[in-house]
Amino acid sequence: MSADMLLRNCYVLRKDNWEESIELYQRLIERDRIQGIRRYLATRQSTFINNIIVSLPPDIEFKNSQNQVVQLKDIADFKTHQMFLPDEINTICVIDGQHRIFAHYEGIDTLEPEIAKIRKKFHLLVTGLIFPPDMTTLEQRKIESEVFLDINSNAKPVPPDVLLFIETLKDPFSDLGVARQVLSRLNLSDPFENRFQLSAMDEGKIKIASIIKFALRYLVDITDDATKPTLFAYWGTPQDREQLLNDKKDKKSTARLDEYVKFVVKILSQYFSAVRSQFPGDWEDKESRLLSTTPINGLLIALRRSLPLHGVLTLEGYRERLARLTTDFTKAGFPFTSSQYAKYSKLVLQAVFDIDETDGVDGGTEDEGSALAP
């Protein structure tokens, strides 16, 4: 396809956008990279031999040599067919290759006279994915994100938070997937409204990768393993939990998953509202360590470890217990270094939940799944 046609018709599922969606994964365009590719195009007067990967629109059409329409299920017989695409904006989804496409933009720089000559003339190799008509958007996004991950994990290093984000897309029922959805919902309302860094553009906000990976995933995991207490055991009825476990296996519906996520968000909102009530000054102080990864992870780990003894409490119940907690969250006074989640959780467990954890907590950099395994 010509770069001109792709520019007119394509769109990108950009992660850093104005919509708080968990289904998007592409990174922002890098100006220097675009300019470098643009200079290459202008000087070499050559197209690229590596493929652009896209998803094609559902109203694509194939015709045989007799100009008869051929059904999608019948085009894999190695006969020659013509493919017809709608010439409409926002119909071709770019999975990989956005920089190679957008480097052909119509600009006002000194390179534009040369780029203008090749924008319609040179063609880019495009591999287009066509999905079955009955496939859901969620299933399509999972496949697209897996393709993106396969390509980019073997090329230019993808930032760890993006890799983790892609992992959550691959399976929304996984512990990582549920944790990512919970944080996205928490970011929409009190007490964490607009405080989490869900985008690279959200500077100065709470980073979420370590929270998901080392603490929250273990608290929200959908499991019936009694040796691994999670909030799942306190959600709904036994029938609800059994049905969600079945949904996790067949992945045909996310309706019950959404209800479970709402339940988790409610509990965590109450728990951390109680934390805010105990430390109101630190909660609003940008210099305080309270809203940083180590305290948040320590509090989440302590909450999970408290479940077998205390279960899920009300807002007032958490307020009453957290009133016992005293911590100096100033930069100079907070005694726990980054990643000492387990060590801080031990303090919270003793002060708040009357649980004395003496074994398995070394206060080092272990994650919740190893340092605090039941």
Side-chain angles (χ1 to χ4, degrees):
M1 300 179 69
S2 69
D4 179 69
M5 178 177 290
L6 279 167
L7 284 169
R8 289 202 317 268
N9 293 277
C10 77
Y11 65 95
V12 179
L13 292 169
R14 199 173 308 290
K15 176 175 174 286
D16 302 302
N17 77 113
W18 56 89
E19 296 178 348
E20 297 294 350
S21 173
I22 67 168
E23 298 179 358
L24 316 182
Y25 52 88
Q26 281 277 29
R27 296 163 291 183
L28 286 172
I29 282 179
E30 299 172 13
R31 177 184 174 87
D32 291 342
R33 192 174 174 195
I34 284 283
Q35 290 305 109
I37 295 174
R38 195 167 170 82
R39 284 192 295 271
Y40 170 88
L41 291 169
T43 56
R44 294 285 296 272
Q45 294 287 301
S46 174
T47 189
F48 300 99
I49 60 172
N50 52 333
N51 285 28
I52 307 291
I53 313 295
V54 304
S55 291
L56 296 174
D59 50 346
I60 190 173
E61 190 175 70
F62 292 87
K63 292 185 178 180
N64 59 22
S65 56
Q66 286 77 44
N67 202 35
Q68 297 171 325
V69 175
V70 180
Q71 298 301 312
L72 179 62
K73 62 183 177 63
D74 299 322
I75 66 170
D77 58 3
F78 302 100
K79 294 181 180 179
T80 301
H81 298 94
Q82 284 186 304
M83 182 173 67
F84 295 83
L85 290 167
D87 189 7
E88 299 174 359
I89 63 171
N90 296 335
T91 53
I92 299 175
C93 175
V94 180
I95 298 173
D96 189 73
Q98 60 172 340
H99 287 85
R100 280 169 283 159
I101 296 172
F102 291 117
H104 293 81
Y105 70 85
E106 183 174 351
I108 56 173
D109 56 1
T110 58
L111 301 174
E112 176 57 25
E114 297 301 321
I115 300 297
K117 297 176 184 178
I118 64 176
R119 189 175 293 118
K120 296 182 179 181
K121 179 180 178 182
F122 287 170
H123 284 62
L124 297 166
L125 295 175
V126 180
T127 294
L129 306 185
I130 304 172
F131 296 103
D134 59 346
M135 182 174 283
T136 66
T137 300
L138 178 62
E139 290 173 316
Q140 292 181 29
R141 294 291 176 264
K142 285 171 59 180
I143 293 173
E144 292 166 353
S145 64
E146 287 173 359
V147 172
F148 175 87
L149 185 59
D150 287 342
I151 294 171
N152 288 280
S153 59
N154 295 309
K156 179 183 176 181
V158 181
D161 62 327
V162 176
L163 289 175
L164 178 62
F165 183 75
I166 296 297
E167 287 297 326
T168 68
L169 278 180
K170 290 169 64 176
D171 184 2
F173 291 89
S174 68
D175 54 357
L176 293 173
V178 176
R180 183 61 170 77
Q181 293 172 73
V182 166
L183 281 184
S184 295
R185 293 282 185 87
L186 281 173
N187 198 55
L188 297 176
S189 59
D190 195 62
F192 283 111
E193 185 173 7
N194 202 32
R195 289 184 182 268
F196 289 116
Q197 186 180 25
L198 301 182
S199 163
M201 297 185 294
D202 294 335
E203 297 181 0
K205 296 184 179 181
I206 305 169
K207 298 183 183 299
I208 66 171
S210 293
I211 294 175
I212 291 175
K213 187 175 182 181
F214 297 124
L216 186 57
R217 64 190 292 190
Y218 303 105
L219 178 63
V220 304
D221 191 18
I222 299 172
T223 176
D224 56 356
D225 187 345
T227 66
K228 298 179 179 179
T230 78
L231 288 174
F232 177 67
Y234 302 88
W235 169 73
T237 65
Q239 292 75 21
D240 291 330
R241 293 191 288 274
E242 183 180 357
Q243 289 174 344
L244 183 51
L245 286 168
N246 290 331
D247 291 342
K248 183 179 180 180
K249 293 177 183 178
D250 58 38
K251 297 177 175 57
K252 292 182 178 180
S253 171
T254 59
R256 274 180 287 268
L257 173 61
D258 188 61
E259 292 302 313
Y260 174 58
V261 169
K262 290 178 181 177
F263 167 77
V264 173
V265 169
K266 177 183 177 181
I267 301 302
L268 293 184
S269 295
Q270 292 176 341
Y271 181 57
F272 281 98
S273 290
V275 173
R276 181 179 60 180
S277 296
Q278 179 64 5
F279 305 99
D282 288 296
W283 193 273
E284 301 300 333
D285 185 359
K286 293 183 179 180
E287 299 300 317
S288 171
R289 291 293 308 279
L290 175 56
L291 293 182
S292 60
T293 303
T294 299
I296 290 176
N297 277 1
L299 287 161
L300 288 170
I301 293 169
L303 177 61
R304 176 176 182 263
R305 298 291 287 177
S306 76
L307 291 176
L309 183 61
H310 298 285
V312 170
L313 305 180
T314 63
L315 173 59
E316 290 304 318
Y318 286 127
R319 281 178 176 170
E320 180 181 344
R321 288 201 162 270
L322 282 159
R324 311 173 185 184
L325 183 63
T326 58
T327 304
D328 184 351
F329 288 111
T330 63
K331 287 185 177 180
F334 190 65
F336 305 98
T337 60
S338 60
S339 300
Q340 286 190 319
Y341 322 128
K343 190 173 182 180
Y344 183 60
S345 74
K346 179 181 178 181
L347 184 153
V348 176
L349 281 167
Q350 291 175 330
V352 178
F353 297 108
D354 301 316
I355 299 175
D356 185 10
E357 289 279 358
T358 57
D359 298 320
V361 180
D362 61 6
T365 60
E366 299 286 349
D367 64 42
E368 214 254 10
S370 56
L372 288 177

